[in-house]
Amino acid sequence: MELRSFLCCAVLLIVFCFGNGHAKLAPDYIHPCNDTTSECLVKATQFALPEFVKGIPELGVPSLDPFTIDQLAIPLSGLKVTFYKGKVSGFRKCIVDNVISQLEKRYFGLEFHCNLTIKGQYGAVGKILLFPINGEGDAKVKLTNLRMKVDINTKYVKDENAVNHFAVRNYKYSFDYGDRVSFDLKNLFKGSKELSDTVLAFLNDNWRTVAEEFGKPIVDYAVDLAIRTIEKFFEKVPYEELVNVPIPQ
Ligand SMILES: *[C@@H]1O[C@H](CO)[C@@H](O)[C@H](O)[C@H]1NC(C)=O
Ligand SMILES: *[C@@H]1O[C@H](CO)[C@@H](O)[C@H](O)[C@H]1NC(C)=O
């Protein structure tokens, strides 16, 4: 009897606390700015980043560091490349260079640079800069100071409880491969280590050209995933918990 009434109270308490729509959803590492100065936004974003990229399982927000690429075909003329069982890591240490939020204009801009490591398996058949290739094996790609700028057009939506949320209308991005991309691709020529090493050295000597030729599908994939992650977060966490500035009418 004692236990039953205790359980009753506990259930009522839970219903009261979480059922009234005021329970905070944003994790504690989100420190809402009281204005939209870049100074505050950069600081808040930099502070939240290492935790945010781990994902928020209870809100269904996936991890961005690491994030996985199950399989990705990279379409090139004359060369068929598949990248699979991939893992991308390093986002938690990105440096946030600028954050711009124009609430009235429904614009959100983000600039950052990062060192990233991409590990996985690859298969490649065809020709690469004149060299015939027929390889498969471990792949590791390191990017040093990849720079990225993302422009997001936002909108405001109300959920079923009439609570305001940010939403993504569309986005575009630009990036620069930065200071260096290094490739470590095992077994570029099945059965010839010497030839594999020669071609790998050549790819590394010409890293910018190679990155520009191969990199875009992977970067597109990463940015798309990051945007979908942010969308999921916006969908769950109300506008009011993200910024202490009244929503534009
Ligand atoms: C916003 O204002 C509140 C109340 O004055 C304060 O506690 C909080 O630290 C401020 N937020 C930031 C990011 O400065
Ligand atoms: C990336 O690594 C380089 C060289 O190790 C270092 O100088 C740079 O500060 C790093 N950049 C970031 C964003 O961590």
Side-chain angles (χ1 to χ4, degrees):
M1 231 25 194
E2 284 285 287
L3 181 65
R4 187 179 292 175
S5 53
F6 170 76
L7 284 177
C8 252
C9 278
V11 167
L12 278 178
L13 200 63
I14 290 167
V15 168
F16 178 73
C17 286
F18 294 95
N20 65 2
H22 292 299
K24 183 168 159 284
L25 286 167
D28 290 338
Y29 55 78
I30 304 285
H31 295 170
C33 286
N34 297 319
D35 55 53
T36 54
T37 56
S38 285
E39 191 193 3
C40 182
L41 293 167
V42 167
K43 209 170 142 202
T45 307
Q46 186 73 68
F47 184 81
L49 184 75
E51 293 299 320
F52 180 78
V53 296
K54 287 182 188 166
I56 313 170
E58 61 274 27
L59 298 183
V61 177
S63 166
L64 286 174
D65 191 3
F67 77 79
T68 52
I69 299 177
D70 291 336
Q71 181 157 352
L72 189 64
I74 303 178
L76 295 165
S77 64
L79 183 68
K80 193 170 174 290
V81 179
T82 312
F83 181 68
Y84 56 100
K85 293 185 189 157
K87 212 171 221 188
V88 181
S89 57
F91 279 111
R92 89 190 81 131
K93 288 191 178 156
C94 291
I95 306 230
V96 178
D97 297 307
N98 199 10
V99 182
I100 296 170
S101 176
Q102 296 171 334
L103 296 173
E104 292 279 350
K105 288 188 178 158
R106 291 151 171 75
Y107 167 80
F108 184 78
L110 193 56
E111 279 176 59
F112 56 90
H113 66 283
C114 317
N115 291 340
L116 300 178
T117 303
I118 306 169
K119 274 186 190 173
Q121 306 280 308
Y122 81 98
V125 182
K127 254 187 190 165
I128 180 168
L129 308 166
L130 298 181
F131 288 97
I133 298 246
N134 179 12
E136 63 178 323
D138 294 337
K140 184 160 131 186
V141 181
K142 279 190 166 185
L143 299 103
T144 305
N145 289 327
L146 169 81
R147 292 188 174 273
M148 193 165 287
K149 180 172 187 287
V150 187
D151 298 296
I152 304 175
N153 290 311
T154 60
K155 60 184 174 183
Y156 305 112
V157 297
K158 280 190 195 298
D159 66 19
E160 63 272 22
N161 299 317
V163 173
N164 293 312
H165 291 263
F166 276 112
V168 175
R169 196 147 49 86
N170 54 48
Y171 71 91
K172 63 184 192 334
Y173 74 91
S174 57
F175 68 99
D176 184 287
Y177 284 108
D179 298 342
R180 173 103 185 125
V181 180
S182 70
F183 304 96
D184 184 6
L185 304 169
K186 300 286 188 227
N187 201 25
L188 277 167
F189 285 87
K190 284 178 194 162
S192 171
K193 174 149 171 38
E194 206 171 301
L195 208 48
S196 295
D197 290 349
T198 305
V199 175
L200 184 60
F202 179 83
L203 295 182
N204 278 300
D205 287 344
N206 296 280
W207 63 269
R208 195 175 285 276
T209 312
V210 175
E212 276 161 9
E213 193 132 334
F214 293 89
K216 190 139 188 318
I218 294 184
V219 178
D220 281 347
Y221 184 95
V223 174
D224 185 62
L225 181 72
I227 297 282
R228 278 188 286 118
T229 302
I230 292 170
E231 264 181 329
K232 193 100 195 177
F233 179 72
F234 283 166
E235 215 174 87
K236 300 284 177 178
V237 179
Y239 171 94
E240 284 78 11
E241 290 187 31
L242 297 177
V243 53
N244 277 331
V245 177
I247 197 163
Q249 292 311 305

